[in-house]
Amino acid sequence: MNKVLITGGTGYVGSHTAVEFIEAGFEVVIIDNLSNSKIEVLDRIEKITGVKPEFHEFDLSDNQKTADFFQKNKNFDVIIHFAAYKAVGESVQKPLMYYRNNLNSLMNILQGMKDYQIENLIFSSSCTVYGQPEKLPVTEKSPIIKANSPYGNTKQIAEEIIFDTINSTKNLKSIALRYFNPIGAHKSALIGELPLGVPNNLIPYVTQTVAGIREQLSVFGDDYNTPDGTAIRDYIHVVDLAKAHLVASERLISNKNKTNFETFNIGTGNGNSVMEIINTFEEVTGKKINYKISPRREGDIEQVWADTTYANKELGWKTELSLADALLSSWNWQKKLMS
Ligand code: UD1
């Protein structure tokens, strides 16, 4: 049985990925410091899959604790590294916290991989590395431009750290998956996105507004150069995203990778505006969203969506779930949270 280490495995994308790996027959070990997730997620994973993953609670930016962990646990076929801070605005306020956490944890993992000959790493990267691309849809060959935020910069630097470490380490290989906008929840509604405090991201803000937890959704800008004036993103169902980690892991484990560091766009290939999201959500749930048009949010880009040709062809992966599926599952998850 193949064994996977999932860091940040009780988080939003991590927990959905843990479920897919267990269902594919992997033995799953999770490390998380629970800084942005709850321990109950483990019971939820068990409810869905019948298996409770082995769990270690500590901070991966702690050099000693991470070294101690790898000394006792070394035989992983693949490591998937999610554990990181991800709030763009907060990263502007607290850059050192972001660099320290996101980069030290990665370096500690790479050190463990080097020390114990663990060969395969999947890294959770972001389309934020492309900034506002000149050509859409954006391919993996688009230039990496100066990051808009310390958060975005941690993803760019992390890809470079991985690249350099691979070049100096025999047998080490990695795939960076550049996610577009993950949304939705598992069909069981037992796991989903659990933002602490006021959500930054669009979909949790939408579901909390409809649930009456927030008064009104602000649509950040209707004067962009897009058909309806609101900003465009590529919203991908978190379960489709989780499955991309599975095919990427299988590619590395079976040595099917073309180079030792590969990057893939993980999106749907479709762009949707904020207004399209609002309209589709209202259609599929039958709920009205109380919203107003507000000024643009600082640091937001106008539009981005993925060219997924390379991921589709090379990974043999494509999305299976629709935007409507994703939005309905987000609402079902919000309802479950309130019940
Ligand atoms: C950004 C980053 C992404 C990162 C994510 C982490 C880009 C292109 N993407 O996603 O890499 O992983 O943050 O949080 O930089 N919106 C509203 N009202 C709201 C909230 C959002 O109108 O209350 C709009 C935004 O202006 C944006 C869209 O909804 O146009 C999506 O926003 P959000 O969910 O925050 O994600 P991104 O900013 O695209």
Side-chain angles (χ1 to χ4, degrees):
M1 186 190 264
N2 282 324
K3 192 167 174 182
V4 57
L5 172 63
I6 303 183
T7 77
T10 50
Y12 175 42
V13 185
S15 58
H16 289 83
T17 302
V19 165
E20 295 307 314
F21 274 71
I22 293 170
E23 287 180 345
F26 276 74
E27 180 182 350
V28 172
V29 177
I30 289 176
I31 300 174
D32 204 299
N33 65 358
L34 302 177
S35 65
N36 194 23
S37 60
K38 296 231 165 80
I39 188 83
E40 290 81 88
V41 169
L42 294 172
D43 297 326
R44 303 295 185 89
I45 293 173
E46 184 181 13
K47 251 194 180 153
I48 298 170
T49 64
V51 178
K52 191 166 183 171
E54 180 182 320
F55 179 65
H56 299 262
E57 182 184 342
F58 68 91
D59 189 333
L60 285 153
S61 65
D62 184 321
N63 304 2
Q64 194 55 50
K65 283 193 179 142
T66 310
D68 290 347
F69 171 84
F70 280 115
Q71 200 190 18
K72 295 189 199 109
N73 308 270
K74 25 176 109 49
N75 55 339
F76 295 108
D77 297 285
V78 58
I79 297 180
I80 307 182
H81 182 44
F82 292 109
Y85 293 149
K86 60 163 189 181
V88 177
E90 185 185 49
S91 79
V92 177
Q93 303 305 317
K94 300 175 180 168
L96 293 179
M97 185 173 110
Y98 270 67
Y99 288 117
R100 197 175 289 126
N101 184 61
N102 292 8
L103 299 180
N104 282 345
S105 61
L106 171 68
M107 290 189 285
N108 287 338
I109 284 164
L110 287 167
Q111 188 65 53
M113 295 182 78
K114 250 176 126 68
D115 291 346
Y116 298 105
Q117 291 85 48
I118 300 166
E119 293 184 358
N120 303 315
L121 175 71
I122 307 288
F123 178 65
S124 155
S125 190
S126 168
C127 69
T128 193
V129 301
Y130 302 120
Q132 175 61 65
E134 273 180 21
K135 264 176 64 189
L136 287 167
V138 64
T139 72
E140 290 82 353
K141 292 208 165 69
S142 298
I144 305 295
I145 65 161
K146 188 176 162 28
N148 244 334
S149 68
Y151 158 77
N153 206 20
T154 66
K155 294 296 176 193
Q156 295 187 357
I157 298 171
E159 288 195 7
E160 291 175 350
I161 291 174
I162 295 170
F163 182 79
D164 290 341
T165 310
I166 280 172
N167 278 338
S168 69
T169 314
K170 202 171 158 250
N171 294 335
L172 187 60
K173 50 200 199 293
S174 175
I175 291 178
L177 299 178
R178 293 175 176 162
Y179 312 158
F180 285 69
N181 288 50
I183 62 166
H186 192 263
K187 60 179 187 293
S188 63
L190 286 165
I191 53 173
E193 192 170 4
L194 246 190
L196 294 181
V198 183
N200 292 304
N201 294 111
L202 177 62
I203 304 306
Y205 211 106
V206 165
T207 60
Q208 290 194 9
T209 304
V210 174
I213 302 166
R214 309 284 154 209
E215 209 178 301
Q216 193 172 42
L217 169 74
S218 292
V219 173
F220 296 139
D222 70 347
D223 55 353
Y224 285 109
N225 186 23
T226 60
D228 66 19
T230 63
I232 293 176
R233 298 287 184 274
D234 184 334
Y235 295 92
I236 173 170
H237 198 301
V238 68
V239 171
D240 279 330
L241 174 61
K243 287 181 175 158
H245 296 79
L246 196 55
V247 289
S249 295
E250 283 160 354
R251 180 178 175 88
L252 288 181
I253 292 170
S254 58
N255 287 307
K256 293 213 173 92
N257 51 300
K258 287 206 164 133
T259 58
N260 285 343
F261 182 59
E262 297 184 305
T263 54
F264 292 100
N265 282 347
I266 304 298
T268 65
N270 301 315
N272 287 104
S273 71
V274 177
M275 278 316 300
E276 283 172 339
I277 295 294
I278 291 175
N279 294 335
T280 310
F281 185 94
E282 290 185 340
E283 252 167 55
V284 298
T285 63
K287 299 281 175 190
K288 278 268 159 252
I289 302 170
N290 178 19
Y291 70 88
K292 64 164 192 278
I293 305 296
S294 298
R296 293 180 179 192
R297 181 171 69 178
E298 210 187 321
D300 269 349
I301 61 158
E302 183 170 275
Q303 47 188 323
V304 66
W305 67 94
D307 185 324
T308 59
T309 314
Y310 189 60
N312 298 157
K313 185 174 144 264
E314 277 298 316
L315 296 176
W317 164 91
K318 63 175 179 31
T319 53
E320 287 164 358
L321 298 161
S322 67
L323 179 66
D325 294 330
L327 293 174
L328 191 58
S329 68
S330 292
W331 176 235
N332 287 338
W333 163 241
Q334 179 69 53
K335 281 196 294 191
K336 189 85 153 224
L337 281 177
M338 295 184 304
S339 64

